Amino acid sequence: MAMRYLTSKLAHQIDEELMGAVGAFSLDQLMELAGLACAQTLATVYWKDKYPRVLVCCGPGNQGGDGLVAARHLGMFGYKPTIYMPKPGSKEIYQRLKAQCVNMKIETLEPSNDTQSLKSALASSDVILDAIFGFSFKPPVRAPFDAALSLIANSGLPIVSVDVPSGWNVDEGKVDALALDPDVLISLTAPKEGVRSFKGRHFLGGRFVPKTMEEKFQLNLPEYPGFSQIVELPRADDAQKL
């Protein structure tokens, strides 16, 4: 059976059950596993000897939290991450994740509506991890992210997006002119409806979905290889031929 793609409504429901009495996961656990999968995806495609400098772009929500976890793991992997968060999250978990990055001596750009620091960071980076907007995002893109996405999109750097490329509608795909067009996508839990037509390299991560939940929602997830936190999915063009 084909793998199930999730609507935004179903993705929310699964998240709630994962962190409820049924799934019994904490947000910290899920974010740690998701962020590790994101870091592993970037490291799989963009080796650190050629792409050592990673600009990790984080939004203020859980997606940004995944990005902070990924930044820490990338530092552990031997990369040189820099964190860009124009609007840092206010939740306590976000503050702890940020402190963990500080303890790893990972540089964070000072929050600012001025894009000069982002321009400088882009000029001295090799690859971008896009963890700005998650599946809760509703277009259009607003300040300060509109200017940031434009600069990121026009940087010429390869982009790895987390779960849903920033600026995309979760159910409808790329409908905003400012939306990013990444080279690599790492879907979490299960792919979302809006990325069915994604043409780049597509990975699935978040090796935490219980068998009971996979069966209940008929997710039909692929098997993860060995001890890896990620599995590569067929490209959109190849999948349509199957």
Side-chain angles (χ1 to χ4, degrees):
M1 294 178 67
M3 180 176 49
R4 186 170 191 178
Y5 280 67
L6 307 181
T7 62
S8 56
K9 183 178 180 180
L10 186 54
H12 275 293
Q13 183 182 346
I14 292 174
D15 254 21
E16 287 176 1
E17 291 201 16
L18 280 168
M19 290 183 284
V22 177
F25 281 95
S26 68
L27 178 59
D28 295 63
Q29 283 179 293
L30 295 178
M31 209 169 268
E32 187 68 25
L33 290 167
L36 176 58
C38 295
Q40 196 173 100
T41 297
L42 187 143
T44 297
V45 182
Y46 299 105
W47 294 358
K48 67 182 178 184
D49 56 345
K50 188 175 179 182
Y51 301 91
R53 302 170 301 175
V54 185
L55 182 61
V56 182
C57 301
C58 299
N62 290 347
Q63 188 91 337
D66 294 342
L68 291 174
V69 173
R72 170 163 44 82
H73 283 293
L74 287 167
M76 294 282 189
F77 294 171
Y79 288 81
K80 297 176 182 175
T82 298
I83 297 168
Y84 168 68
M85 335 183 251
K87 188 178 178 184
S90 58
K91 293 180 180 178
E92 186 258 349
I93 186 173
Y94 207 99
Q95 303 307 316
R96 286 191 285 108
L97 293 173
K98 173 65 169 60
Q100 291 166 12
C101 289
V102 170
N103 292 338
M104 279 293 295
K105 297 185 176 180
I106 296 172
E107 179 187 1
T108 298
L109 305 181
E110 286 297 321
S112 172
N113 288 327
D114 180 5
T115 57
Q116 189 53 51
S117 62
L118 175 58
K119 290 177 182 177
S120 299
L122 288 167
S124 57
S125 297
D126 302 303
V127 58
I128 296 165
L129 181 66
D130 158 39
I132 298 175
F133 298 132
F135 64 72
S136 299
F137 170 75
K138 298 287 190 299
V141 179
R142 299 175 178 84
F145 299 102
D146 49 357
L149 287 190
S150 180
L151 287 171
I152 291 168
N154 293 309
S155 67
L157 296 174
I159 300 172
V160 178
S161 284
V162 176
D163 209 23
V164 179
S166 287
W168 287 38
N169 180 289
V170 182
D171 296 316
E172 299 173 19
K174 189 179 179 182
V175 295
D176 193 301
L178 289 172
L180 297 181
D181 192 12
D183 305 271
V184 179
L185 176 66
I186 167 68
S187 289
L188 298 172
T189 306
K192 311 308 179 288
E193 279 290 349
V195 304
R196 278 186 182 273
S197 61
F198 177 70
K199 297 292 195 296
R201 291 186 70 177
H202 191 180
F203 292 80
L204 178 65
R207 195 175 182 175
F208 45 68
V209 180
K211 291 294 183 185
T212 52
M213 206 169 290
E214 182 180 349
E215 292 169 2
K216 174 182 177 179
F217 293 103
Q218 299 179 317
L219 299 180
N220 303 315
L221 299 177
E223 187 174 342
Y224 285 83
F227 47 79
S228 179
Q229 296 300 306
I230 58 175
V231 56
E232 187 162 8
L233 304 177
R235 289 179 182 257
D237 291 341
D238 296 334
Q240 289 168 7
K241 297 174 186 174
L242 298 177

